[in-house]
Amino acid sequence: SQQGEEDPQALSIQEGENATMNCSYKTSINNLQWYRQNSGRGLVHLILIRSNEREKHSGRLRVTLDTSKKSSSLLITASRAADTASYFCATGPGGGNKLTFGTGTQLKVEL
Amino acid sequence: KAGVTQTPRYLIKTRGQQVTLSCSPISGHRSVSWYQQTPGQGLQFLFEYFSETQRNKGNFPGRFSGRQFSNSRSEMNVSTLELGDSALYLCASSGTSGANVLTFGAGSRLTVL
């Protein structure tokens, strides 16, 4: 079963705009990760934020984590057409690589 | 360095048959995990192997099994295939057991007719 729910399910924006997607989860976590998946391909790790962190940056990516609300957000700034993909959050309790993935947000960046 | 390699990339089977999928992790990675991705259920964890031992298992029937060899390569097998087993099967490897960061292969897309 999916622990994480992501919204929106789909997002369409213009190149240059910012894209924000949200993830909620249900149980205590050790860390939360975001992955990107291009159509029908494998997932690519983007960023990991630990449960004791509130915000993390990597290039054009900004991730926040609110453990009290069991939620996270991923912001992609100055989006590009190449950012078109599905984005998933994933949580892991630690002690192994069993991740629980969210339902994903399909992002389309139009020229 | 080479990424995670999955073979075959595409395959078509009929109900009742069995299938074996293969995964070669990144050199030096000892943990291999398998996930099933379907439009209806999303990404679901199947199992994880570390140093030839199954360490975690998801909620899948016994028809789904796997193993890991001494060179860390892994295989998963699905017996008595059902239509609902049609999915993208993703393999991922990790260098350490606690960091959770996974490197995924491109997947094996299984179609069951």
Side-chain angles (χ1 to χ4, degrees):
Chain A
S1 62
Q2 296 287 328
Q3 167 168 228
E5 294 291 329
E6 295 180 60
D7 77 272
Q9 285 190 325
L11 179 61
S12 183
I13 59 175
Q14 298 293 312
E15 199 171 49
E17 295 181 334
N18 295 341
T20 299
M21 48 206 90
N22 305 294
C23 164
S24 60
Y25 57 92
K26 298 176 184 174
T27 62
S28 296
I29 61 171
N30 189 50
N31 60 60
L32 185 142
Q33 303 177 54
W34 286 88
Y35 286 82
R36 183 187 74 216
Q37 184 181 36
N38 290 88
S39 181
R41 308 278 300 180
L43 283 76
V44 175
H45 177 259
L46 295 175
I47 194 167
L48 178 150
I49 186 166
R50 301 189 189 282
S51 60
N52 62 353
E53 296 176 310
R54 292 296 167 258
E55 188 172 312
K56 198 163 183 179
H57 297 253
S58 177
R60 294 184 296 114
L61 305 180
R62 173 180 168 249
V63 170
T64 62
L65 178 64
D66 187 335
T67 53
S68 66
K69 295 181 179 178
K70 291 187 168 58
S71 68
S72 175
S73 68
L74 171 67
L75 167 68
I76 304 175
T77 60
S79 62
R80 306 165 182 167
D83 294 329
T84 295
S86 292
Y87 292 81
F88 296 88
C89 65
T91 55
N97 290 320
K98 178 180 180 180
L99 295 184
T100 301
F101 284 86
T103 51
T105 293
Q106 285 188 313
L107 173 65
K108 183 176 182 180
V109 182
E110 300 186 84
L111 295 169
Chain B
K1 76 190 181 183
V4 177
T5 304
Q6 290 189 246
T7 58
R9 288 292 317 282
Y10 303 91
L11 66 168
I12 299 173
K13 294 284 187 179
T14 56
R15 279 182 301 173
Q17 288 187 310
Q18 73 164 9
V19 66
T20 299
L21 308 178
S22 179
C23 173
S24 293
I26 289 174
S27 178
H29 283 191
R30 295 164 64 188
S31 169
V32 174
S33 306
W34 289 89
Y35 289 82
Q36 181 198 63
Q37 186 176 29
T38 60
Q41 297 299 316
L43 279 153
Q44 293 190 287
F45 173 80
L46 281 157
F47 26 65
E48 179 200 3
Y49 288 87
F50 183 82
S51 294
E52 301 179 66
T53 301
Q54 185 181 87
R55 184 162 57 186
N56 284 299
K57 190 177 189 303
N59 296 321
F60 279 82
R63 300 185 297 108
F64 292 80
S65 63
R67 59 179 176 168
Q68 186 179 33
F69 302 96
S70 58
N71 61 357
S72 292
R73 189 177 71 84
S74 177
E75 289 181 346
M76 68 162 283
N77 184 78
V78 187
S79 62
T80 319
L81 284 166
E82 300 176 359
L83 296 179
D85 296 333
S86 293
L88 180 66
Y89 290 88
L90 293 162
C91 167
S93 73
S94 175
T96 61
S97 62
N100 301 135
V101 174
L102 304 181
T103 302
F104 282 84
S108 293
R109 183 165 295 281
L110 170 65
T111 301
V112 182
L113 303 177

